[in-house]
């Protein structure tokens, strides 16, 4: 898929690649032709480049019918970012899981001093130096800059629900760890899985601990939830949020589990003597990290440590 250009996946379903201003430079979204309108899965980041892509889509492929539903897999800015804007612009209804809506609604509006203080405590405890701590605190709540607040009301989607998009009945499978209650969608008839960020073809989804819950164990949740996806066919077509569609779901799950087992072993080796999270982190991320990458590396290092503690 090329940026902004719809690519038909199956009749009535299109994929679109939207650019991101990060090392991970794109996110895939999915469009569905309904009888009287359009539905979509995910909305992209809240920046002007993505808004322009949506304006082009609404003047092109989507021009014949209104947008009726915006389904969001999870709360991260590259997925939830413009959902609130699209709903306000079009009158569409937001569909997502309750936990993802709550997280997005809260984080998009949090300007409290307590939010900054929690980040400072988290960074101090992790062993970052004072310069890094103050630089990170000075950025404030970056989430707010990358997301339009989601609507004040939404339609809740649960694990096990059947969700009809276009002419396809999708089975909802919830993934955990990367996000608390991420929606993935499986079509048994066409053998297609919209995997969100739960299973990616070339990189491991980031599994991080955040300042709001410093003792969390998201890695155990992530590895545990992968068992649900092993129940799906090995040869299904996986549509990931980043990267190209692929087949070989079970093989990729095996690779992800092996990756984290290796990381856990490396983490344990780094703890033969007392060590901070910041001292363990270079054993897992042996490269120069920019500010954006640092927050994910720090959170994922702590996720491996908390998993070992548990």
């Amino acid at each position: 898929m090329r940026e902004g250009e719809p690519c038909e996946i199956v009749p009535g379903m299109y994929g679109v690649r939207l650019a991101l201003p990060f090392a991970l430079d794109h996110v895939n979204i999915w469009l569905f032709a309904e009888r009287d309108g359009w539905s979509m899965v995910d909305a992209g980041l809240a920046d002007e480049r993505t808004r322009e892509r949506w304006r082009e889509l609404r003047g092109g492929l989507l021009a014949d019918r209104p947008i009726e539903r915006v389904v969001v897999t999870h709360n991260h800015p590259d997925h939830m970012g413009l959902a609130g804007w699209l709903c306000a612009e079009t009158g569409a209804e937001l569909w997502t899981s309750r936990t993802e809506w709550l997280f997005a609604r809260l984080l998009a509006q949090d300007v409290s001093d307590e939010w900054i203080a929690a980040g400072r405590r988290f960074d101090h405890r992790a062993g970052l130096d004072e310069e890094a701590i103050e630089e990170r605190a000075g950025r404030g709540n970056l989430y707010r800059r990358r997301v339009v607040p989601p609507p004040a009301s939404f339609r809740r989607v649960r694990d096990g629900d059947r969700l009809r998009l276009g002419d396809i009945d999708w089975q909802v499978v919830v993934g955990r760890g990367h996000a608390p209650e991420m929606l993935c969608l499986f079509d048994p008839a066409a053998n297609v899985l919209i995997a969100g960020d739960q299973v990616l073809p070339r990189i491991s989804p980031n599994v991080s601990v955040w300042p709001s819950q410093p003792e969390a164990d998201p890695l155990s949740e992530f590895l545990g939830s992968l068992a649900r996806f092993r129940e799906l066919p090995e040869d299904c077509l996986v549509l990931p949020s980043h990267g190209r569609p692929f087949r070989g779901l079970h093989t990729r799950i095996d690779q992800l589990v092996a990756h984290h087992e290796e990381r856990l072993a490396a983490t344990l080796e780094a703890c033969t003597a007392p060590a901070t999270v910041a001292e363990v982190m270079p054993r897992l991320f042996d490269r120069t990290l920019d500010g954006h990458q640092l927050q994910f590396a720090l959170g994922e290092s702590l996720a491996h440590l908390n998993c070992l503690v548990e």
Side-chain angles (χ1 to χ4, degrees), residues 33 36-38 57-66:
D36 299 314
W38 288 89
L57 287 167
R58 292 181 65 196
L61 176 68
L62 308 182
D64 59 337
R65 283 165 286 178

Side-chain angles (χ1 to χ4, degrees), residues 75-252:
N75 74 82
H76 294 170
D78 51 332
H79 300 262
M80 183 67 80
L82 279 179
W85 177 75
L86 282 167
C87 290
E89 288 275 309
T90 67
E93 188 176 29
L94 176 68
W95 293 46
T96 191
S97 68
R98 180 164 61 186
T99 310
E100 300 301 327
W101 177 80
L102 286 168
F103 262 90
R105 184 79 180 165
L106 171 69
L107 289 172
Q109 301 180 82
D110 194 341
V111 294
S112 65
D113 292 339
E114 289 86 351
W115 194 94
I116 302 297
R120 277 200 176 98
R121 288 195 301 272
F122 183 85
D123 289 353
H124 274 294
R125 187 181 181 191
L128 291 183
D129 61 53
E130 288 298 323
E131 183 180 354
I133 292 171
E134 290 309 309
E135 189 277 329
R136 282 160 57 80
R139 293 184 301 173
N141 183 353
L142 287 178
Y143 188 92
R144 294 186 70 247
R145 302 181 206 170
R146 296 168 176 163
V147 171
V148 173
S153 63
F154 75 108
R155 180 76 67 91
R156 183 184 179 189
V157 182
R158 301 172 175 85
D159 187 46
D161 281 355
R162 298 282 179 174
L163 186 60
R164 188 166 184 82
L165 296 171
D167 293 327
I168 304 171
D169 286 317
W170 298 88
Q171 174 188 339
V172 177
V173 183
V174 164
R176 304 187 190 277
H178 175 74
E181 193 183 2
M182 179 163 51
L183 301 181
C184 304
L185 306 173
F186 178 63
D187 171 17
N191 202 25
V192 175
L193 171 67
I194 297 177
D197 282 357
Q198 191 69 23
V199 183
L200 300 176
R202 298 183 62 84
I203 62 172
S204 173
N206 180 259
V207 179
S208 278
V209 175
W210 301 97
S212 58
Q213 193 183 359
E215 303 292 341
D217 182 15
L219 183 53
S220 291
E221 293 182 352
F222 176 74
L223 295 172
S225 73
L226 288 180
R228 292 286 312 280
F229 292 85
R230 287 189 190 276
E231 299 171 8
L232 304 179
E234 160 72 354
D235 65 347
C236 68
L237 177 64
V238 181
L239 305 180
S241 289
H242 308 281
R244 298 187 178 192
F246 68 98
R247 297 187 190 272
L249 176 62
H250 298 176
T251 300
R252 184 60 185 141

